[in-house]
Amino acid sequence: MVATAQTSATICGKPLGLATAHTSALIGLETQPIAVEVCATRGPSMFQLVGLAHAAVREARVRVASALAGIGVLMDEHAITVNLAPADLRKSGAALDVAMALAVLGALDKLPAKSLDNVLVLGELALDGTLRSVSGVLPQLEGARARGVAFAIVPSGNAREAGLVRGMTVRTADSVAEIVEALRGNRELPRVPPTVYSPGDAVRFGDMSEVRGQSEARRSLEVSAAGGHNLLMVGPPGGGKTLLARLLPSILPPLTYEEAIEATAVHSVAGLIDPDQGMVASRPFRAPHHSVSDAGLVGGGDIPRPGEISLAHHGVLFLDELAEFRRSALESLRQPLEDGLVCISRARARAWFPARPLLTAAVNPCPCGYYGHPHRECRCSPEARRRYLARLSGPLMDRIDIHVQVPPVEVTALTRGAPGESSSVVRERVLRARAVQAARREAGLTRARNNAELPARELGVIAEPDGKATRTLEKAMSDLSLSARAYVRVLRVARTLADLDGHPRVRERHVVEALQGRMLDREIMP
């Protein structure tokens, strides 16, 4: 917060203290500059706060008064007015506490002139003057650096997160008293060391060797991980759909530093950063319950916050019992899955959050779950089954690239079956396929990070099928009544299958395998 103290001014013969602190508020992941203007005069005790402040901001006067009393500065003899500009922007949270406290000290002439110039200060105050960590430190520091701020002070609890910022000096403090002493030149605050990024261990998600049987489902998971394709698993209870979904992160490539920074920024805004780690080092895995609200899934609220789809950015969003989710919540996923962004519009502001998760969903084939089960009879009528699966709209299904049936596991596979390939073996194949895609990007053929993001205009060059594959695809388009979006997604999956096989061209067998999910729609879906 860049603060400039101006004192010794006079209005109507009465001493007047003025100070201005510059801070910022977060709207989504974007920072909005805010000027904290403080006027202090001798007179009846008063603390007036204006500027469209939320309840948590209005309560700052109590925390500021108590914290300053702890260092011997009493506000009882002064009439203090605080203005938060711009006045038409709603301010929320307690991150403005330290800015207000220092601006008040500047207005009362308790700090050296210009001691707060070009300084960003973040933090919430406790009643005893200690600093509590706040959310959104990483995007706030990045926004300040972009505005030219060269120096920042943050709570010690945010040190690891603040260490991710490059190009500005960041120091930590445990209390407002330490900041005051440092600004008076009596001490030096510790400097935040750079946070070293080390990818998290994927073993914590489990290992693919735990899965017995289910060769088709395992293959689908591998293709999904190799190309970043959304996946739907259909099958009765007990087939292993949830286990497979939870193992998907174990075969995904490690987060790159850039991906980790993006995921950390979203989690920081949501207040979900582990202070000991300071960043998101492993691919997020989010599995909301089917009772989640629309705002909980895609984001929202009076003060826009990221939803589950953004918290799973660069990770996995698992929706179990897909047909049990609210229809409106599922339909709200359509635009983010297509664009990779969530836009939350409010009367006074518009917030954007990134949303590029790997969507993995599981659904039963009917309300009782046993339609098509080899040993148990389904009790659902055709109409009940139709209504149940009609909750999954065609446009939503078009946005899921791979559909696979997960049948019940035979007892012999559990008792006598050999363990499947481990996650490390599968991950090696995934990494090789991703390397092929990265090579295309470096060669300038595409800007897409993986095959699931390939635009339709590039598929003719990157995923051009050979003659037999083209004829097979044209026939399938007609027989299965595929939409144009489904056609594009089939080609994307076929390109990934070719990458896994090491083939430069998409061949007929790749197209046939990519079409299997669309044929499943005819057998399982309404």
Side-chain angles (χ1 to χ4, degrees), residues 12-309:
C12 298
K14 297 182 180 180
L16 171 68
L18 294 174
T20 301
H22 297 280
T23 181
S24 63
L26 282 172
I27 303 175
L29 294 181
E30 298 179 357
T31 57
Q32 171 69 43
I34 295 176
V36 182
E37 302 170 344
V38 176
C39 170
T41 63
R42 290 282 183 178
S45 177
M46 179 188 70
F47 190 102
Q48 184 173 246
L49 179 62
V50 297
L52 205 60
H54 196 263
V57 181
R58 292 196 300 269
E59 293 169 353
R61 64 184 180 85
V62 179
R63 296 189 292 271
V64 170
S66 179
L68 295 187
I71 59 175
V73 178
L74 299 178
M75 297 166 51
D76 295 343
E77 301 176 356
H78 304 277
I80 296 174
T81 302
V82 180
N83 179 44
L84 306 177
D88 62 344
L89 178 69
R90 187 176 296 277
K91 294 87 180 175
S92 62
L96 303 181
D97 285 6
V98 179
M100 290 187 200
L102 294 177
V104 168
L105 290 173
L108 296 178
D109 203 19
K110 301 297 184 181
L111 292 176
K114 298 184 179 180
S115 61
L116 289 171
D117 286 357
N118 206 35
V119 178
L120 176 80
V121 185
L122 298 173
E124 176 186 344
L125 285 173
L127 293 180
D128 61 357
T130 57
L131 269 61
R132 292 193 172 113
S133 58
V134 294
S135 60
V137 165
L138 176 60
Q140 294 229 53
L141 290 178
E142 289 287 4
R145 180 186 59 78
R147 295 194 302 271
V149 179
F151 185 78
I153 302 173
V154 301
S156 297
N158 293 119
R160 293 281 295 172
E161 183 182 349
L164 295 170
V165 179
R166 305 292 185 260
M168 71 184 303
T169 301
V170 184
R171 297 185 182 273
T172 61
D174 290 313
S175 67
V176 69
E178 291 183 3
I179 299 177
V180 171
E181 287 299 300
L183 295 175
R184 289 173 176 171
N186 298 330
R187 63 171 297 170
E188 186 174 342
L189 296 174
R191 186 167 182 168
V192 173
T195 299
V196 178
Y197 171 59
S198 177
D201 190 356
V203 174
R204 70 185 182 90
F205 294 105
D207 196 276
M208 290 286 287
S209 60
E210 301 172 25
V211 180
R212 303 296 176 95
Q214 302 295 15
S215 57
E216 288 187 23
R218 288 175 58 98
R219 170 68 169 174
S220 296
L221 249 66
E222 181 177 338
V223 177
S224 174
H229 303 286
N230 297 330
L231 171 67
L232 173 67
M233 293 179 284
V234 183
K241 301 187 296 295
T242 301
L243 173 62
L244 287 162
R246 294 188 179 278
L247 291 175
L248 180 55
S250 71
I251 62 174
L252 288 171
L255 277 176
T256 65
Y257 180 75
E258 291 74 17
E259 290 174 337
I261 291 295
E262 291 180 17
T264 298
V266 177
H267 282 70
S268 177
V269 171
L272 299 177
I273 295 295
D274 181 356
D276 295 330
Q277 192 169 16
M279 69 182 305
V280 176
S282 299
R283 293 198 178 272
F285 182 88
R286 307 290 299 186
H289 190 260
H290 59 73
S291 62
V292 66
S293 66
D294 299 14
L297 191 58
V298 299
D302 292 337
I303 302 166
R305 291 175 58 84
E308 293 291 336
I309 190 171

Side-chain angles (χ1 to χ4, degrees), residues 376-391:
R376 299 192 62 170
E377 182 180 357
C378 173
R379 302 186 302 272
C380 306
S381 67
E383 179 61 22
R385 181 173 163 269
R386 188 198 65 78
R387 285 197 307 267
Y388 180 74
L389 292 178
R391 301 176 189 178

Side-chain angles (χ1 to χ4, degrees), residues 232 397 403 516-526:
L232 173 67
M397 298 300 292
H403 307 164
Q516 292 303 311
R518 304 300 163 176
M519 295 173 66
L520 174 66
D521 289 352
R522 283 289 189 88
E523 301 169 7
I524 299 293
M525 297 299 171

